[in-house]
Amino acid sequence: GNPALLSDLNLTGNDDAYDYSDAYAAESLVYLSHRRSTFIEHPEQPEPVPDEQEPKEIWPRGYWLTTYNLEVVDFSDPENPTRQTDPKEPIALPGRLIGLSRGGAILYTTGPQYDENGRTDWKEFLHVCAYDVDRAPLITSMALPESWPRTLLVTKGDVLIASGNEKAQPSGKIETYRLADDGKLTRVGGIELK
């Protein structure tokens, strides 16, 4: 037979979600992430000084706050999938979803790390979270290699990180990490590529 569309579930509605991740399945659940950006007015910020030669429009004072959120959809009834996450109370993630393990109980994301004041140096980290129906607390994070190209793959509980060496092309390495029982990412293997 021919493939047929069984159902359609709109996850965006009228909100400002964008930059959806790939979808990852465990049992009948499908997991994905998206971003939201909200402008936060900050009136204490100093007034910008317009160019004396040509007056310019002064933009509102403030900053953009970007958050990553988790969506979980239950496809146990493929003709009537149900959204498991409440869009009014989103589950925060520390980055873009890149995989899962242990039947969806462990989530892997990538993104920057922020300090208590919301600042970052924009270095990318691998973050590991525990999914628990209405929250996803952080278990651990690990800085990723800064070299490019770089790619990550989560498979059967292992995280494979392939990275190049910008100074000695063509070369690079593939490393394998696993979440240990103590909650740390442990290097369990690797190979140099020449």
Side-chain angles (χ1 to χ4, degrees):
N2 293 331
L5 179 66
L6 291 179
S7 61
D8 186 11
L9 180 64
N10 183 356
L11 293 177
T12 59
N14 292 327
D15 78 342
D16 54 355
Y18 66 98
D19 190 24
Y20 280 82
S21 71
D22 290 337
Y24 302 93
E27 303 297 328
S28 64
L29 299 179
V30 174
Y31 302 71
L32 59 146
S33 68
H34 61 78
R35 286 198 289 177
R36 282 195 171 97
S37 293
T38 306
F39 185 75
I40 308 295
E41 288 192 43
H42 197 292
E44 291 82 36
Q45 198 173 359
E47 287 283 343
V49 178
D51 186 333
E52 293 179 30
Q53 306 218 347
E54 184 179 324
K56 295 183 180 178
E57 181 177 340
I58 298 175
W59 292 92
R61 291 175 287 165
Y63 58 94
W64 284 95
L65 176 64
T66 299
T67 57
Y68 292 87
N69 298 300
L70 178 67
E71 294 281 357
V72 181
V73 179
D74 186 349
F75 277 91
S76 54
D77 178 359
E79 293 182 12
N80 298 296
T82 55
R83 192 177 195 166
Q84 299 296 295
T85 45
D86 183 349
K88 293 179 180 143
E89 295 183 29
I91 297 173
L93 291 176
R96 181 184 178 89
L97 186 66
I98 62 159
L100 44 96
S101 67
R102 300 183 190 179
I106 303 296
L107 309 175
Y108 300 86
T109 71
T110 57
Q113 218 168 25
Y114 295 89
D115 67 16
E116 59 277 352
N117 297 315
R119 291 186 293 253
T120 182
D121 61 6
W122 296 108
K123 290 182 181 170
E124 195 171 19
F125 283 76
L126 171 64
H127 304 286
V128 183
C129 300
Y131 172 61
D132 184 23
V133 183
D134 60 353
R135 61 194 188 107
L138 182 67
I139 297 172
T140 190
S141 295
M142 179 182 83
L144 291 171
E146 292 186 32
S147 60
W148 286 94
R150 180 185 68 227
T151 190
L152 284 82
L153 174 67
V154 178
T155 178
K156 298 179 183 175
D158 289 335
V159 180
L160 283 70
I161 303 173
S163 58
N165 182 340
E166 297 168 354
K167 296 181 173 92
Q169 293 290 347
S171 70
K173 61 184 172 181
I174 299 175
E175 296 177 291
T176 306
Y177 290 85
R178 186 175 297 145
L179 183 64
D181 291 339
D182 66 358
K184 305 273 188 235
L185 282 165
T186 305
R187 186 178 186 274
V188 293
I191 186 171
E192 293 289 327
L193 304 174
K194 303 225 187 251

